[in-house]
Amino acid sequence: MSDPVTLSSGISYDRDGIETWLKAGNFTCPVTNQVLMSFDLVPNHALRRMIQDWCVQNLRFGVERIPTPRVPVSGDEIAAVLARLESAAKRLDEYDCRECLRKMTSWGNESERNRISIASNGAAGVLAAAFDGFARETVEKRAVVLEELLSSMSWMFTMSSRGGGKEAAAARDRLASAESVKALLWFLKSNGSRIAAKQNSLIALRELLLASSKRERVAESMLEIEDLHQILFGFLRSPISPAITKLSLTLIFQLLQISTSKSSDRFKSSLIDADLVSFLLETIISSSKERSVSEKALGILDKLCDDSKGRAAASGNSLTVPLLVKKILRISAAATEFSVSVIWKLGRCDQRALVEGLQVGAFQKLVLVLQLGCGEETKEKATATLKMMNPFRNEFECTESLDFKNLKRSF
């Protein structure tokens, strides 16, 4: 044992072990099989000191003394601070709110157990409500407290998804208000906001677009910002950090996927005009070791090719078809689906894409996709593409360019 605790049955266990037992849904003492009247874990200081003394006596045998563990924060302590924070937010008391945030941050920095406990007690929902309250004021005036709230929420969303899905969902819905979304976008646009604030804003927006029940409304609020494409593409063109690059790609993909309004069409057209297609192709080439980046880039390229301007931009780049064929069966199932989809969209409008595909081995790759199994939509697109390619096979097909060295690894 390194952190002995005592149950209400009077038996002592190591904290990690008994917590795992209780989280598995057990309500009894493992030794006595007695139903527990309380789940409180009381630190057994006497036993811990005995263990530490034994470690000291056996140092010459290579035994290291266990450190004195910090006592985890209790649910009552967390509830008290959250109640104080909630009250401060209603009063718009920025100073008291920041004091509560500092207290929770201090607890969270002590251990992973504390962070999980804070999140499972509904902290994300309280912080989201506080963020919404302060966001209704002038954002520039409340920027400091909003940034600190955002910093705490960025890790609480992840923790809440482990310990309490309903609480996390409620927090996301509260953060989906028009005022909160505008405040999040302000951090992205502001030249004075710190890199951490921009990254945390992107994390919050990603959560809203991925898991919020109000994701369509959030997407529309974002798309109303005329220079949104410049902000997100700017993070890609002038990278600040790998995390911000990945988050920006995720947001662009989600916005293109969720919304079908005129504002979405305008956003898509602006990205195409900014030459995002060429940038995506270069990104796919340069991020061969970053599979998630390549997958997101292929997903965005697929969405852009729904537009005639996007297809024209893709067809006009000599890298497009060879790169797409190469990525089939090489990255992930999703990347293969995106690659097949783009080739199908290009082939329907331009026979040159079909000829280029045949010359780099697309026909055999698509046959393999059908043989190895894929989604119904991908199967239909692959079959349709093979039919379109078939008349050109005798004249243009080339099989020497095929490369199957990564086929086994990918599947």
Side-chain angles (χ1 to χ4, degrees):
M1 295 185 188
S2 59
D3 186 8
V5 293
T6 303
L7 287 180
S8 58
S9 61
I11 306 298
S12 293
Y13 301 91
D14 188 62
R15 184 184 294 275
D16 287 341
I18 195 60
E19 281 186 344
T20 301
W21 170 264
L22 296 175
K23 286 178 181 177
N26 298 294
F27 303 104
T28 59
C29 172
V31 171
T32 65
N33 207 31
Q34 174 185 344
V35 176
L36 298 172
M37 304 305 295
S38 169
F39 295 111
D40 292 338
L41 306 178
V42 181
N44 190 330
H45 298 297
L47 180 56
R48 188 251 307 156
R49 282 194 291 268
M50 288 175 59
I51 295 171
Q52 288 176 325
D53 291 342
W54 181 88
C55 291
V56 172
Q57 294 169 8
N58 290 274
L59 284 175
R60 64 183 184 277
F61 299 115
V63 178
E64 295 184 2
R65 181 184 182 275
I66 61 169
T68 300
R70 290 179 177 270
V71 178
V73 62
S74 68
D76 291 339
E77 290 176 296
I78 296 170
V81 171
L82 289 177
R84 179 183 165 190
L85 191 152
E86 190 172 14
S87 175
K90 289 179 180 178
R91 302 191 313 269
L92 296 179
D93 186 341
E94 186 173 332
Y95 177 80
D96 200 18
C97 187
R98 292 175 64 190
E99 280 293 312
C100 294
L101 287 172
R102 279 192 282 270
K103 186 67 175 175
M104 285 194 292
T105 301
S106 176
W107 284 337
N109 290 337
E110 288 180 3
S111 68
E112 178 81 359
R113 183 185 290 113
N114 280 356
R115 289 194 290 274
I116 294 174
S117 182
I118 291 170
S120 61
N121 275 274
V126 175
L127 266 62
F131 187 92
D132 183 55
F134 283 110
R136 295 175 187 275
E137 298 277 299
T138 305
V139 178
E140 292 89 340
K141 180 182 176 182
R142 301 293 188 176
V144 175
V145 66
L146 287 171
E147 183 176 338
E148 291 187 15
L149 285 164
L150 202 52
S151 176
S152 296
M153 281 191 289
S154 65
W155 61 263
M156 284 186 188
F157 278 131
T158 304
M159 294 294 176
S160 296
S161 62
R162 297 181 197 172
K166 292 182 179 180
E167 291 83 355
R172 293 185 184 97
D173 289 344
R174 189 60 185 267
L175 198 62
S177 69
E179 291 79 8
S180 295
V181 173
K182 287 180 182 177
L184 293 172
L185 292 171
W186 180 87
F187 282 109
L188 296 184
K189 295 172 63 176
S190 174
N191 293 326
S193 60
R194 298 187 304 166
I195 294 176
K198 295 182 185 296
Q199 180 172 322
N200 291 330
S201 295
L202 289 168
I203 291 173
L205 290 169
R206 179 197 63 188
E207 289 291 321
L208 295 179
L209 292 177
L210 287 175
S212 172
S213 61
K214 302 176 182 178
R215 52 190 298 196
E216 290 82 5
R217 193 176 75 184
V218 173
E220 289 303 317
S221 297
M222 293 177 66
L223 291 171
E224 289 176 2
I225 307 299
E226 291 186 3
D227 56 349
L228 179 63
H229 71 282
Q230 295 178 357
I231 298 170
L232 296 178
F233 194 18
F235 290 146
L236 300 177
R237 184 175 287 163
S238 303
I240 300 175
S241 71
I244 288 180
T245 298
K246 292 178 182 179
L247 288 166
S248 299
L249 286 169
T250 300
L251 285 187
I252 292 173
F253 177 74
Q254 290 299 321
L255 287 170
L256 293 174
Q257 185 179 48
I258 293 171
S259 180
T260 57
S261 64
K262 291 183 179 179
S263 56
S264 176
D265 294 337
R266 184 178 65 248
F267 177 66
K268 185 186 298 182
S269 180
S270 299
L271 290 173
I272 296 169
D273 292 339
D275 201 21
L276 179 60
V277 171
S278 296
F279 179 84
L280 291 173
L281 295 172
E282 293 170 5
T283 300
I284 295 168
I285 294 172
S286 61
S287 59
S288 56
K289 295 183 179 179
E290 287 282 348
R291 295 193 169 199
S292 61
V293 173
S294 296
E295 184 178 302
K296 291 180 177 68
L298 286 166
I300 296 171
L301 182 61
D302 180 39
K303 295 300 178 184
L304 294 181
C305 285
D306 288 334
D307 188 280
S308 58
K309 288 170 60 178
R311 291 192 296 271
S315 297
N317 194 311
S318 59
L319 291 174
T320 303
V321 175
L323 191 58
L324 291 171
V325 173
K326 183 177 181 181
K327 295 304 175 182
I328 293 175
L329 306 177
R330 292 286 293 272
I331 301 176
S332 65
T336 295
E337 291 175 3
F338 293 140
S339 299
V340 171
S341 179
V342 176
I343 294 173
W344 171 73
K345 291 173 183 177
L346 297 180
R348 292 176 64 195
C349 304
D350 189 349
Q351 290 183 350
R352 290 177 302 172
L354 300 174
V355 172
E356 289 180 36
L358 285 168
Q359 291 173 338
V360 293
F363 196 93
Q364 286 74 19
K365 277 284 189 77
L366 292 173
V367 171
L368 276 174
V369 169
L370 295 175
Q371 290 176 342
L372 293 169
C374 56
E376 194 62 34
E377 184 178 352
T378 302
K379 185 185 296 183
E380 292 176 3
K381 291 179 179 179
T383 303
T385 306
L386 288 171
K387 289 179 180 179
M388 290 188 291
M389 286 182 172
N390 199 48
F392 306 99
R393 286 187 67 192
N394 292 334
E395 187 176 355
F396 297 105
E397 186 174 22
C398 176
T399 58
E400 294 181 359
S401 61
L402 288 178
D403 176 13
F404 301 112
K405 65 181 181 180
N406 289 301
L407 179 60
K408 185 177 180 180
R409 183 178 65 190
S410 298
F411 284 82

